[in-house]
Amino acid sequence: MTELKKLSKQERADYIREKLQQLYPNPPIPLDHKDAYTLLIAVLLSAQCTDARVNTVTPALFALADNPHDMAKVPVEKIQEIIRPCGLSPQKSKAISVLSKMLVNEHGGRVPDDWDALERLPGVGHKTASVVMSQAFGHPAFPVDTHIHRLAQRWGLTSGKNVVQTEKDLKRLFPKESWNALHLQIIYYGREHCSARGCDGTVCEICTTTYPNRKKPKIVLKP
């Protein structure tokens, strides 16, 4: 596929989407959860923490409280004690406590199926809201994490100035119906084939196929 060096950005995107669909036809959500609330908490905990680490912590947390009503009654100190391995435990424990109380008082104990309402919850930024809206409620969204931000730059799909721009660029390149699966597919590919240390833009199959003449590492901007 040497002719890929002549492909446009859109043609590269089309190739990448096809390749990822072949590799990960049904990508699972990497964070263990059972409903919108437990997914919300798991995504909140994943900030600056690996999904694998979160999955070792949430069983104990959800055994204590797996719904807003019960979590709202748990002392912040107890939450912090359990989630400490995830890092940023003072901020995250307070956010979990307060957002649980807000869900009870303002949303009847349910996670709102609404962008604005989600982003008003403490500890819930646009990326977290995007994951919940896409994976819990099925709305088209393209959450951009560090894997996606890095790979989108390596593949020449974005300038990588910031995650907001990366999200806009990817949404323009890929059909809306592919977003929810595609963001997971990119994450898995980034972990397994195009990691920060394992590939510098000249190693993995997608990098070498889309840029066969690239000789030097691709410098990427951090989010």
Side-chain angles (χ1 to χ4, degrees), residues 55-76:
N55 287 340
T56 66
V57 168
T58 49
L61 180 64
F62 295 150
L64 183 68
D66 62 358
N67 62 81
H69 293 278
D70 290 340
M71 192 70 78
K73 301 173 185 176
V74 178
V76 173

Side-chain angles (χ1 to χ4, degrees), residues 79-210:
I79 298 174
Q80 182 177 348
E81 178 184 336
I82 295 174
I83 69 170
R84 185 169 286 111
C86 290
L88 303 176
S89 60
Q91 302 95 310
K92 290 178 180 179
S93 58
K94 183 177 179 180
I96 290 171
S97 178
V98 175
L99 77 79
S100 297
K101 293 172 182 174
M102 288 178 65
L103 292 178
V104 172
N105 296 330
E106 301 177 17
H107 301 284
R110 293 179 174 271
V111 175
D113 181 358
D114 179 86
W115 285 99
D116 291 338
L118 276 174
E119 292 188 23
R120 282 197 297 270
L121 296 173
V124 180
H126 179 68
K127 184 253 183 177
T128 298
S130 294
V131 174
V132 175
M133 288 296 280
S134 62
Q135 305 304 339
F137 299 121
H139 296 290
F142 214 126
V144 174
D145 72 349
T146 54
H147 293 289
I148 294 175
H149 186 66
R150 180 179 69 250
L151 269 59
Q153 293 178 70
R154 285 180 176 170
W155 299 340
L157 305 180
T158 183
S159 65
K161 293 179 180 178
N162 52 60
V163 293
V164 174
Q165 186 61 50
T166 297
E167 180 180 339
K168 290 180 179 178
D169 291 339
L170 294 178
K171 284 182 173 179
R172 279 195 293 264
L173 288 167
F174 296 106
K176 184 178 289 189
E177 63 271 17
S178 73
W179 293 353
N180 290 0
L182 189 58
H183 96 267
L184 292 174
Q185 292 166 334
I186 296 175
I187 288 172
Y188 280 112
Y189 188 85
R191 291 175 178 175
E192 297 175 7
H193 304 284
C194 195
S195 65
R197 296 183 179 181
C199 179
D200 59 6
T202 66
V203 178
C204 80
E205 183 177 356
I206 290 182
C207 285
T208 56
T209 303
T210 52

Side-chain angles (χ1 to χ4, degrees), residues 3-48:
E3 290 302 309
L4 277 174
K5 63 184 178 182
K6 300 178 181 178
L7 293 184
S8 67
K9 182 184 292 186
Q10 184 61 62
E11 288 169 327
R12 288 200 305 275
D14 293 342
Y15 159 74
I16 290 166
R17 180 164 65 95
E18 180 180 350
K19 182 64 179 179
L20 292 177
Q21 183 61 29
Q22 292 173 358
L23 290 172
Y24 311 103
N26 297 293
I29 300 172
L31 290 167
D32 296 338
H33 67 287
K34 68 173 186 177
D35 55 19
Y37 177 73
T38 51
L39 177 62
L40 173 63
I41 299 303
V43 178
L44 186 157
L45 289 174
S46 71
Q48 299 185 39

